[in-house]
């Protein structure tokens, strides 16, 4: 169920019954198991736990184990008690904030679905309490942590040493940087960890990808097991085959989603023929205007307001759909402008012309000057510029991050990253790095270092972009003549969206000597991760 607006505001997305039942069946093992569901909502997990206790109690209607819940929202707590009572369960459901909850006992089982509120909306006292709770367990979470991260750590606090933790968590656990401390905590705290991922969405109407965390015991683990289920309905039947994965220290867990041998081949090749993108240059976000609809202009708008070219800058238009080939040329920029796209940035000097001043006054009438990014700068109508980059890097795509030569010398706004190449790499980097990156290692690497978002998007944060494995300077130099020779064919393939064709041209050059079997493994691994995103996004058209 997608949940109401109020429920979404507090991060409450109620769990499908099949998932709650599976997690209760896994975690309840004795009639005397005491169970806690933090943030219990309408007690989906407590009800499933009560049924599981009855099963292990061989049909007794009065199992010995205690059912306890904590719920912030009083109406939901009342409903939880009623639902449980209707099934004959006695439960203690407290109303309050789980981060302030101090139960008198430790539990055999803690299970549930923590509230999911992104850090942008997770602020003030609630955030402070969550960070304190995590810190009390020796885990210092970053300011970017969403609500679920501290919740996991607090939940583990209330377990007996050999207790079991079963939680529904966002798949961010596998990939985002701020979750690194949570991953490290889980490996240090528990003796055994299992994760279940899904091929299909399991929360109807919710784009967020989820994983099931099943953790037990104490003493630490150096690996975890993973199962990939089709959907919630098939979970109980097909969650039988588990694969082991040994994560690197502090590394992402995304590689567990692909075959182990394929990841090992990727890892070896990334070290042999690639280097991090940061070795080539500095990646950075484009200028933040505060209001793109005001500060970016079409050619017709610039003419209509009479704003001269001296008070305008050439930009790559907002968005990244137009960035498909190997270069963004002046010819391409002019074509976009002729097509009505916003190819200009309003950027008057210290003494705006009469026409520019009239446009500024119109912006004030439209309250553009009151937007946060505008009102904190002086003058509000002067957008802070970033360096004009050598290369453009798209960072939010359905298909892949695209590296494109900025031959138009366009200024960028924050819909793309810029890459300023190091001086000794500038010439060859502008000419051949976008092309050389169309290889199977870099394409798989984007899925490994990036993060999947709701809707099937792949996003690279700046630090993740720095880690993208791209062909080394040595390799590009050595192969430059052969890469140059296929440039016309590649440009045509990319403009037509034929990524696989482009990759088949580049792989034999950049990855020369790599066996066909290994290349097939790399491509299949990338397809696995790509298709997981595509299924959630419902499209892969931009691929």
């Amino acid at each position: 169920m997608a949940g109401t607006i109020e429920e979404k505001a507090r991060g409450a997305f109620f769990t499908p019954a099949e998932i709650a039942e599976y997690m209760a069946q896994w975690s309840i093992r004795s009639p005397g198991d005491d169970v806690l569901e933090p943030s219990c909502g309408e007690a989906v997990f407590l009800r499933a736990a009560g049924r599981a206790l009855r099963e292990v109690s061989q049909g007794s209607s009065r199992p010995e184990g205690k059912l306890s819940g904590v719920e912030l929202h009083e109406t939901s707590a009342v409903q939880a008690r009623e639902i449980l009572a209707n099934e004959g369960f006695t439960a203690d459901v407290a109303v309050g904030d789980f981060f302030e909850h101090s139960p008198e006992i430790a539990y055999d089982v803690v299970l549930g679905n923590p509230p999911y509120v992104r850090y942008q909306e997770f602020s003030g006292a609630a955030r402070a309490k969550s960070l304190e709770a995590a810190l009390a367990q020796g885990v210092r979470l970053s300011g970017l942590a969403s609500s679920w991260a501290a919740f996991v750590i607090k939940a583990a606090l209330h377990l007996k040493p050999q207790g079991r933790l079963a939680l529904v968590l966002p798949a961010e656990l596998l990939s985002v940087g701020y979750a690194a401390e949570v991953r490290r905590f889980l490996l240090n705290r528990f003796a055994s960890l299992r994760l279940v991922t899904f091929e299909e969405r399991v929360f109807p109407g919710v784009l967020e990808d989820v994983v099931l965390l099943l953790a037990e015991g104490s003493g630490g683990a150096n690996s975890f097991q993973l199962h990939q289920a089709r959907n919630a309905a098939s979970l109980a039947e097909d969650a039988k085959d588990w694969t082991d994965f040994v994560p690197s220290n502090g590394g992402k867990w995304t590689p567990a989603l692909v075959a182990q041998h394929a990841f090992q081949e990727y890892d070896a090749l990334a070290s042999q023929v690639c280097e991090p993108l940061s070795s080539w240059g500095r990646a950075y976000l484009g200028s933040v205007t505060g209001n793109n609809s005001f500060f970016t202009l079409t050619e017709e708008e610039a003419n209509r307001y009479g704003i001269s070219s001296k008070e305008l800058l050439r930009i790559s238009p907002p968005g990244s759909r137009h960035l498909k080939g190997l270069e963004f040329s002046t010819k391409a920029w002019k074509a976009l402008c002729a097509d009505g796209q916003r190819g200009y940035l309003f950027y008057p000097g210290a003494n705006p012309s009469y026409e520019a001043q009239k446009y500024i006054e119109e912006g004030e009438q439209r309250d553009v000057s009151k937007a946060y990014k505008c009102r904190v700068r002086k003058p509000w109508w002067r957008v802070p510029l970033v360096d004009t980059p050598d290369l453009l890097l798209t960072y939010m795509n359905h298909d892949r991050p695209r590296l494109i030569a900025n031959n138009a010398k366009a200024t960028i706004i924050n819909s793309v990253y810029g890459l300023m190449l190091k001086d000794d790499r500038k010439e060859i980097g502008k000419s051949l790095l976008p092309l050389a990156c169309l290889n199977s290692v870099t394409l798989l690497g984007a899925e490994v270092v990036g993060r999947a978002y709701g809707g099937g998007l792949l996003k690279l944060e700046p630090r993740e972009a720095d880690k993208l494995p791209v062909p080394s300077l040595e390799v590009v130099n050595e192969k430059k003549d052969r890469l140059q020779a296929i440039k016309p064919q590649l440009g045509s393939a990319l403009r037509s969206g034929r990524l696989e064709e482009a990759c088949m041209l580049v792989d034999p050059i950049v990855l020369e000597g790599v066996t066909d079997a290994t290349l097939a493994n790399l491509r299949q691994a990338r397809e696995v991760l790509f298709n997981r995103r595509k299924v959630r996004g419902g499209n892969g058209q931009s691929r």
Side-chain angles (χ1 to χ4, degrees):
M1 180 164 62
T4 64
I5 293 173
E6 182 190 357
E7 289 162 354
K8 289 179 179 177
R10 55 192 172 94
F13 298 101
F14 298 116
T15 309
E18 300 95 330
I19 291 179
E21 288 166 6
Y22 172 79
M23 293 166 65
Q25 291 287 339
W26 175 82
S27 57
I28 306 292
R29 300 177 186 175
S30 164
D33 280 347
D34 292 326
V35 181
L36 172 66
E37 183 185 357
S39 188
C40 69
E42 294 175 359
V44 171
F45 287 93
L46 283 181
R47 188 167 47 168
R51 293 171 180 168
L53 280 171
R54 277 182 181 163
E55 282 188 32
V56 297
S57 302
Q58 297 180 333
S60 168
S61 61
R62 293 288 181 186
E64 297 175 8
K66 295 183 178 64
L67 297 178
S68 302
V70 183
E71 171 54 43
L72 184 63
H73 194 250
E74 186 165 1
T75 303
S76 293
V78 171
Q79 290 175 333
R81 295 187 194 108
E82 291 175 355
I83 290 169
L84 292 166
N86 287 340
E87 289 210 24
F89 298 126
T90 300
D92 175 19
V93 178
V95 177
D97 187 338
F98 176 59
F99 288 114
E100 296 179 338
H101 188 63
S102 300
E104 296 177 351
I105 65 170
Y107 293 88
D108 300 283
V109 173
V110 176
L111 77 174
N113 182 359
Y116 179 61
V117 185
R118 290 191 184 280
Y119 77 93
Q120 297 94 331
E121 289 85 35
F122 186 47
S123 58
R127 179 177 194 78
K129 281 186 286 188
S130 74
L131 296 180
E132 286 174 12
L135 195 57
Q137 300 304 302
V139 180
R140 186 180 296 279
L141 295 172
S142 84
L144 298 177
S146 299
S147 59
W148 65 268
F151 199 98
V152 173
I153 296 157
K154 178 77 162 57
L157 171 66
H158 301 301
L159 279 173
K160 294 177 180 176
Q162 297 307 311
R164 296 167 294 281
L165 181 67
L167 296 176
V168 180
L169 299 176
E172 290 180 1
L173 170 68
L174 307 179
S175 61
V176 298
Y178 77 75
E181 291 304 316
V182 181
R183 297 191 289 268
R184 188 175 288 111
F185 168 79
L186 291 171
L187 287 167
N188 289 337
R189 164 64 178 81
F190 292 98
S192 169
L193 292 173
R194 282 186 161 189
L195 298 175
V196 179
T197 62
F198 296 93
E199 296 173 4
E200 301 172 5
R201 291 180 195 166
V202 293
F203 282 69
V206 177
L207 293 177
E208 192 64 41
D209 192 8
V210 301
V211 299
L212 308 186
L213 169 69
L214 309 173
E216 62 181 306
S218 59
N222 60 9
S223 65
F224 64 84
Q225 291 186 308
L226 179 115
H227 173 74
Q228 300 193 56
R230 190 170 69 256
N231 53 41
S234 66
L235 178 60
E237 291 182 5
D238 62 15
K240 297 171 184 173
D241 299 324
W242 298 83
T243 57
D244 292 314
F245 181 76
V246 180
S248 60
N249 184 25
K252 296 188 177 190
W253 290 359
T254 311
L257 298 172
V258 302
Q260 191 83 339
H261 65 277
F263 182 72
Q264 289 170 347
E265 290 169 328
Y266 155 79
D267 212 26
L269 284 168
S271 300
Q272 293 165 13
V273 301
C274 293
E275 55 190 351
L277 182 62
S278 59
S279 297
W280 281 86
R282 173 176 59 91
Y284 53 91
L285 186 63
S287 296
V288 178
T289 68
N291 188 320
N292 282 350
S293 66
F294 175 81
F295 287 102
T296 64
L297 297 166
T298 66
E299 202 163 87
E300 186 277 330
E301 287 172 332
N303 290 333
R304 175 154 45 90
Y305 285 104
I307 300 171
S308 75
S309 59
K310 294 179 181 177
E311 296 180 306
L312 298 170
L313 292 178
R314 175 186 300 191
I315 60 170
S316 173
S320 61
R321 288 179 179 273
H322 57 285
L323 300 172
K324 292 183 176 179
L326 294 171
E327 67 165 338
F328 182 53
S329 65
T330 297
K331 180 181 177 182
W333 174 79
K334 287 181 177 178
L336 291 170
C337 291
D339 194 41
Q341 294 213 31
R342 297 179 174 276
Y344 296 94
L345 180 71
F346 179 62
Y347 193 75
N351 298 302
S353 66
Y354 171 80
E355 291 81 6
Q357 186 59 46
K358 295 293 287 182
Y359 190 63
I360 291 170
E361 290 170 6
E362 181 175 319
E364 290 167 349
Q365 290 168 4
R366 288 161 51 183
D367 287 339
V368 176
S369 55
K370 296 179 181 177
Y372 173 69
K373 288 294 182 182
C374 298
R375 70 172 186 263
V376 297
R377 67 190 182 216
K378 293 183 180 180
W380 69 266
W381 40 264
R382 177 67 67 83
V383 175
L385 298 181
V386 298
D387 293 334
T388 300
D390 297 312
L391 300 175
L392 309 177
L393 174 62
T394 65
Y395 63 85
M396 184 84 93
N397 298 96
H398 281 290
D399 57 351
R400 64 183 172 94
R402 301 169 190 164
L403 203 56
I404 295 141
N406 183 21
N407 292 341
K409 300 188 185 306
T411 296
I412 57 170
I413 59 173
N414 63 346
S415 51
V416 294
Y417 293 152
L419 184 73
M420 187 64 74
L421 294 163
K422 294 179 179 176
D423 289 343
D424 61 338
R425 299 178 178 222
K426 203 170 279 286
E427 185 176 349
I428 193 169
K430 288 177 68 173
S431 174
L432 294 177
L433 187 59
L435 185 160
C437 285
L438 295 165
N439 68 82
S440 291
V441 173
T442 301
L443 291 174
L444 175 55
E447 303 285 345
V448 172
V449 304
R451 59 186 69 184
Y453 272 91
L457 287 170
L458 177 66
K459 183 178 182 183
L460 290 180
E461 295 290 348
R463 288 184 181 178
E464 293 164 343
D466 285 343
K467 296 176 182 174
L468 183 70
V470 301
S472 68
L473 176 61
E474 181 182 357
V475 167
V476 176
N477 255 326
E478 183 185 334
K479 317 284 185 183
K480 61 183 179 184
D481 291 339
R482 294 170 64 192
L483 288 170
Q484 197 72 44
I486 62 170
K487 213 170 183 178
Q489 296 165 266
L490 278 177
S492 172
L494 291 177
R495 285 190 294 275
S496 303
R498 305 193 305 274
L499 177 61
E500 288 82 0
E501 183 179 323
C503 188
M504 297 290 272
L505 289 167
V506 175
D507 273 352
I509 301 173
V510 172
L511 304 177
E512 187 175 17
V514 176
T515 67
D516 290 344
T518 295
L519 291 176
N521 290 337
L522 296 176
R523 290 166 186 159
Q524 186 175 14
R526 190 257 174 184
E527 280 295 305
V528 167
L529 296 176
F530 173 79
N531 285 328
R532 282 181 57 82
R533 293 192 290 107
K534 190 170 68 172
V535 166
R536 284 152 182 76
N539 74 67
Q541 290 87 341
S542 64
R543 182 182 176 190

